[in-house]
Amino acid sequence: MPETGMFVTGTDTGIGKTHASAALLRAMRLADRRVQGMKPVASGCERIDGDWRNEDALMLIDAASSDTDYAWVNPYALPTPTAPQLAAAEEGVVIALPVITSAYRQLAAQADMVLVEGVGGWLAPLSDDLDQSDLVHALDLPVLLVVGLRLGCINHARLSEHSIRASGCRLLGWLGNAVEPGFDGDGRYFGALQRSMRSPCLGRLPFQNA
């Protein structure tokens, strides 16, 4: 496990990045590490006590048992549940790296480890001119790839792995997450995925009902 921070990405949207991130935060807390979760850009927020809040960001806050400022965890909380670049444009918001890096530094000052969750799949952009790899380089973080275990995941996992490496980012490895009940009960598909990937498998999470 890296010493101070990690960026969590996925093979697609809806494959359990938040579930995996929350599990990692809880595990690190059990190991007596001070942790913070971060969701720099989140679309699909709701009004709570007059402010926009995102369900994934709130899950990370709960998993970290954090009482920090919400705006540091989720600097860009966008109402519309669509691609961040579209949700930001709809609100007239410009997503800027300095805002995110400043919030990250605030969290890092309070923790031994900051786990940063990305949006969608690895190549989903944060804005028209800002990729997730730009953020990873700015924060100088290694990357963990969450693979949603379902039909087609071998292709998606290998494409994501190749793209992460090609961007010059450091890939720690990948984590399998069961997203469909009953899929690959005998583990053969997971085994094929392990043989197909160049980076190490760091574990497998069971299916969890929403």
Side-chain angles (χ1 to χ4, degrees):
M1 188 67 68
E3 290 300 315
T4 59
M6 176 170 56
F7 187 87
V8 178
T9 190
T11 48
D12 202 351
T13 190
I15 52 79
K17 292 188 304 297
T18 304
H19 170 49
S21 297
L24 288 168
L25 288 168
R26 293 189 184 100
M28 286 185 282
R29 283 177 55 209
L30 288 174
D32 293 324
R33 301 193 71 182
R34 297 178 306 141
V35 296
Q36 293 285 354
M38 186 181 190
K39 181 80 174 180
V41 180
S43 55
C45 298
E46 61 177 319
R47 283 282 188 184
I48 299 177
D49 298 327
D51 296 309
W52 291 111
R53 296 290 185 262
N54 175 261
E55 181 181 11
D56 291 349
L58 293 174
M59 286 180 63
L60 296 180
I61 290 171
D62 179 70
S65 190
S66 172
D67 60 358
T68 194
D69 189 333
Y70 179 88
W72 294 344
V73 175
N74 179 208
Y76 291 101
L78 306 168
T80 307
T82 188
Q85 65 190 126
L86 302 180
E90 186 173 312
E91 298 300 311
V93 171
V94 176
I95 296 174
L97 270 180
V99 173
I100 299 174
T101 56
S102 176
Y104 177 85
R105 286 195 296 270
Q106 296 288 349
L107 294 175
Q110 305 174 9
D112 302 317
M113 161 70 72
V114 181
L115 191 152
V116 182
E117 182 187 333
V119 299
W122 171 249
L123 284 182
L126 297 174
S127 70
D128 287 344
D129 55 3
L130 185 63
D131 283 324
Q132 295 188 81
S133 59
D134 298 320
L135 176 58
V136 170
H137 283 299
L139 298 179
D140 191 24
L141 295 178
V143 178
L144 172 67
L145 174 65
V146 178
V147 178
L149 300 177
R150 59 189 178 196
L151 192 63
C153 70
I154 295 177
N155 176 61
H156 292 159
R158 295 185 72 191
L159 283 171
S160 298
E161 179 184 60
H162 176 77
S163 183
I164 293 167
R165 290 177 178 271
S167 71
C169 296
R170 294 170 288 150
L171 180 60
L172 289 172
W174 60 278
L175 181 68
N177 184 49
V179 294
E180 295 180 358
F183 179 79
D184 194 36
D186 59 9
R188 288 189 297 173
Y189 210 92
F190 184 69
L193 182 60
Q194 288 178 296
R195 294 190 298 274
S196 300
M197 297 288 280
R198 293 177 57 194
S199 54
C201 175
L202 304 180
R204 178 176 182 172
L205 293 172
F207 177 78
Q208 183 181 60
N209 286 311

